Amino acid sequence: MKEQTLSIIKPDGVRKNLIGEVIQRFEKNGLTPIAMKMLHLTKTEAEGFYAVHKGKPFYDSLTDFMSSGPIVVMILEGEEAINKNRELMGATNPEVAAEGTIRRQYADNIEQNIVHGSDAPETAKTEIAYFFNALEVCPRP
Ligand code: CMP
């Protein structure tokens, strides 16, 4: 089934000059960016995005990190886009992420893990709406 998912290249991915590398992996694996922008989130905006994690021990540090520099946010479209993106990213913790995945290859630790991807259809919907309005989405035929 054709799906949409939200992808973020986090501040560490941008700092490491991995924007092109990450997008190339998506494009080569059937995930088409249909909306994209670079943003530098405020702490409050990062807290809003990660509101589901409020109260967890890593919430403050995570939202500091996510507001520490520019990010690239994208909507990816493709067959089974949510799971395909998760496969390409690898597990949250790079130490246990599968060989060849983005996180295994490039991430420093469980927090600074290069990319974010929506984990389910409902989350994808909410996360896409957090960053994009209808006019910013460019579906392909
Ligand atoms: P992400 O896929 O963006 O979803 C939530 C983020 O919280 C996750 O990637 C990591 O950046 C961060 N995170 C999750 N678990 C931990 C943890 N145990 N310690 C620190 N950061 C975490």
Side-chain angles (χ1 to χ4, degrees):
M1 195 183 57
K2 203 170 178 182
E3 289 177 332
Q4 294 180 355
T5 190
L6 185 88
S7 167
I8 303 179
I9 303 175
K10 298 184 179 186
D12 55 337
V14 173
R15 277 195 281 270
K16 291 182 181 190
N17 292 319
L18 292 171
I19 297 172
E21 165 72 22
V22 169
I23 294 174
Q24 187 168 51
R25 285 191 191 211
F26 294 152
E27 289 188 321
K28 286 199 164 156
N29 287 280
L31 295 178
T32 307
I34 59 163
M36 189 182 303
K37 57 187 153 191
M38 183 178 276
L39 299 166
H40 188 151
L41 297 180
T42 63
K43 171 87 170 165
T44 306
E45 289 164 345
E47 287 171 349
F49 180 72
Y50 280 118
V52 295
H53 295 298
K54 197 169 177 177
K56 294 196 181 149
F58 57 83
Y59 181 68
D60 190 48
S61 167
L62 171 65
T63 51
D64 274 347
F65 163 58
M66 287 301 289
S67 55
S68 69
I71 60 171
V72 175
V73 289
M74 285 170 274
I75 304 174
L76 301 175
E77 188 173 76
E79 288 296 318
E80 312 295 335
I82 296 169
N83 277 333
K84 191 174 279 183
N85 183 35
R86 286 165 63 77
E87 275 174 32
L88 294 172
M89 291 191 299
T92 308
N93 184 349
E95 285 176 21
V96 302
E99 209 56 61
T101 58
I102 294 168
R103 285 167 168 165
R104 175 62 175 260
Q105 205 169 340
Y106 297 114
D108 289 334
N109 55 59
I110 193 170
E111 177 184 272
Q112 308 206 3
N113 60 358
I114 308 287
V115 278
H116 166 83
S118 309
D119 63 2
E122 269 314 301
T123 338
K125 218 172 162 182
T126 319
E127 292 183 353
I128 287 170
Y130 193 77
F131 287 110
F132 294 99
N133 67 46
L135 292 176
E136 295 172 310
V137 183
C138 306
R140 311 287 183 88

